[in-house]
Amino acid sequence: MAEHEPSGHQFMDLTVPEYAYMFGFLQADGHLSQQSRQRGRLTVEISARDIDLLRTFQELTPYNSSITERTRSTNFAETAHSAV
């Protein structure tokens, strides 16, 4: 199960506030894509200053995941530092 799963609850029990928040956040800002061998990938890209939110989601999730940072030029900023 999840590394820091709320006590006595199953993964993604939406009656648990942490899971409900994560579910809503990923529904609004996440991206789901199909990978090889019947696997999928869920990604979300946010400002690097909010990387702690991704770390919290990572602790709540029993699946392998990684967090990477990148800097790029966008329509909104010459240099945008984000976490994926």
Side-chain angles (χ1 to χ4, degrees):
M1 279 312 214
E3 187 176 317
H4 294 110
E5 182 172 322
S7 300
H9 294 93
Q10 290 188 326
F11 175 64
M12 289 304 279
D13 178 355
L14 297 182
T15 63
V16 177
E18 293 89 340
Y19 288 135
Y21 180 83
M22 182 170 75
F23 181 78
F25 186 92
L26 295 174
Q27 285 285 319
D29 294 319
H31 175 76
L32 189 61
S33 61
Q34 183 176 352
Q35 302 293 305
S36 63
R37 298 183 305 206
Q38 301 294 319
R39 294 181 299 170
R41 172 175 284 184
L42 175 63
T43 58
V44 63
E45 184 170 358
I46 60 175
S47 174
R49 68 177 174 253
D50 297 322
I51 199 167
D52 288 338
L53 180 62
L54 293 182
R55 289 189 180 117
T56 300
F57 290 169
Q58 193 174 38
E59 290 173 357
L60 287 171
T61 306
Y63 304 106
N64 291 332
S65 61
S66 61
I67 298 173
T68 59
E69 294 181 54
R70 71 178 184 163
T71 302
R72 64 188 175 112
S73 177
T74 69
N75 294 341
F76 306 104
E78 181 105 7
T79 56
H81 190 156
S82 61
V84 181

